């Protein structure tokens, strides 16, 4: 309720479904359903078993899904030294690549490399990582990903302190003239949490097992989630 700040009026809120939570045996069919349901991106969690204690997805999955949908890729690199691996992804205009602030010594160079490759650049922050860690790369960013769970696994519970962090981030961006930089939230985006996350200032929602890939089916769940974030 109430008047939202400038940025909240300009950016169209949307959903980026977590493809690691889709039906691996029917990924193409799920991708088509999600496209028809109006998702803004497909969220691909890429994990190296080192930055996070899990392995997940890869460039070939992204390539395969591109055969059935033109929806752009929202590639979440949960890998050490992501700059070493960018060349493996056949990036297209409209794609978003997020790297973790905690995963590289050379964050500004890496963000610039993502833009040089033709994609939009984003930085992801683990729950414990303070906002001040990105205050000197705001010009290099198209989006900030606030991890609302500790990365690596689906089915986890929201870290409560991350809600306030979203609000502080939106304020930090708007006060510095970056009201066009998006805020994505990733982790335990349930219908109930999505409402709180939206009110806090998020505009792109990674939907996994908490709201979309659960009983009720993709179509109905997407409709419900879109109502929560409008
Ligand atoms: C967490 C993953 C997300 C998400 C999964 O590392 O990046 O895919 O948490 O969705 P939920 O949290 O709803 O199961
Ligand atoms: Zn993710």
């Amino acid at each position: 309720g109430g008047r939202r700040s400038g940025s909240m009026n300009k950016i169209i809120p949307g959903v980026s479904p977590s493809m690691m939570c889709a039906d691996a045996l029917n990924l193409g069919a799920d991708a088509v359903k999600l496209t028809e349901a109006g998702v803004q991106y497909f969220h691909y969690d890429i994990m190296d078993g080192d930055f996070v204690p899990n392995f997940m997805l890869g460039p070939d999955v992204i390539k395969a899904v591109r055969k059935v949908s033109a929806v752009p890729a929202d590639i979440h690199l949960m890998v050490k030294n992501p700059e070493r691996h960018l060349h493996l992804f056949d990036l297209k205009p409209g794609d978003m690549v997020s790297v973790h602030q905690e995963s590289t010594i050379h964050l500004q160079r890496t963000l610039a490399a993502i833009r040089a490759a033709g994609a939009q650049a984003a930085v992801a922050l683990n729950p414990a990582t303070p906002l001040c860690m990105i205050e000197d790369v705001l010009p290099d960013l198209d989006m900030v990903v606030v991890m609302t769970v500790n990365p690596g696994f689906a089915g986890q519970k929201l870290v409560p302190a991350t809600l306030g962090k979203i609000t502080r981030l939106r304020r930090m961006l708007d006060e510095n003239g970056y009201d066009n930089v998006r805020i994505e939230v990733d982790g335990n985006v349930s219908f109930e949490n999505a409402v709180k996350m939206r009110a806090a200032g998020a505009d792109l929602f990674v939907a996994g097992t908490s709201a979309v890939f659960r009983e009720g089916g993709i179509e109905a769940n997407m409709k419900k989630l879109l109502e929560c974030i409008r």
Side-chain angles (χ1 to χ4, degrees):
R3 232 185 83 64
R4 297 181 184 285
S5 72
S7 54
M8 295 290 271
N9 292 331
K10 282 187 201 144
I11 301 169
I12 299 167
V15 175
S16 183
S18 175
M19 300 309 272
M20 73 181 244
C21 302
D23 177 353
L25 296 179
N26 296 286
L27 195 57
D30 274 8
V32 169
K33 282 181 196 163
L34 290 162
T35 304
E36 287 162 359
V39 295
Q40 284 186 350
Y41 292 92
F42 290 130
H43 187 84
Y44 296 96
D45 289 306
I46 311 290
M47 304 181 191
D48 66 359
D50 187 1
F51 181 74
V52 291
N54 196 2
F55 296 86
M56 195 54 71
L57 302 185
D60 288 355
V61 174
I62 300 173
K63 205 167 287 173
V65 172
R66 286 197 207 275
K67 292 196 187 99
V68 298
S69 172
V71 165
D74 167 23
I75 303 169
H76 179 191
L77 297 178
M78 286 171 270
V79 305
K80 285 252 180 76
N81 304 312
E83 60 274 12
R84 294 183 189 164
H85 310 295
L86 286 180
H87 68 284
L88 293 173
F89 296 87
D90 180 18
L91 298 176
K92 308 282 183 207
D95 284 351
M96 181 77 75
V97 178
S98 58
V99 296
H100 271 263
Q101 182 280 325
E102 312 88 357
S103 70
T104 174
I105 297 173
H106 303 295
L107 180 59
Q108 197 281 334
R109 181 191 292 160
T110 303
L111 293 167
I114 292 168
R115 281 182 165 171
Q120 292 191 296
V123 62
L125 298 173
N126 286 335
T129 305
L131 294 177
C132 65
M133 297 306 283
I134 61 168
E135 66 184 23
D136 290 308
V137 287
L138 299 185
D140 306 294
L141 292 176
D142 299 295
M143 183 167 84
V144 180
V145 185
V146 177
M147 290 307 300
T148 39
V149 297
N150 289 295
F153 300 91
Q156 300 178 100
K157 286 300 163 215
L158 174 84
V159 175
T162 60
L163 285 175
K165 187 176 182 180
I166 299 164
T167 304
R168 286 186 286 112
L169 171 61
R170 188 68 266 162
R171 191 178 312 127
M172 173 175 149
L173 291 169
D174 290 354
E175 281 172 358
N176 288 280
Y178 294 99
D179 53 4
N180 58 328
V181 172
R182 300 195 71 168
I183 297 179
E184 182 177 57
V185 284
D186 185 354
N188 194 209
V189 177
S190 62
F191 300 122
E192 185 188 356
N193 286 339
V195 173
K196 294 175 190 164
M197 293 160 164
R198 177 71 180 138
D203 61 78
L204 189 57
F205 298 78
V206 175
T209 64
S210 306
V212 168
F213 300 105
R214 51 174 291 155
E215 70 280 349
I218 287 174
E219 295 84 350
N221 287 333
M222 271 296 298
K223 215 182 254 85
K224 198 170 166 188
L225 182 58
L226 285 170
E227 278 156 25
C228 294
I229 67 171
R230 284 239 148 84

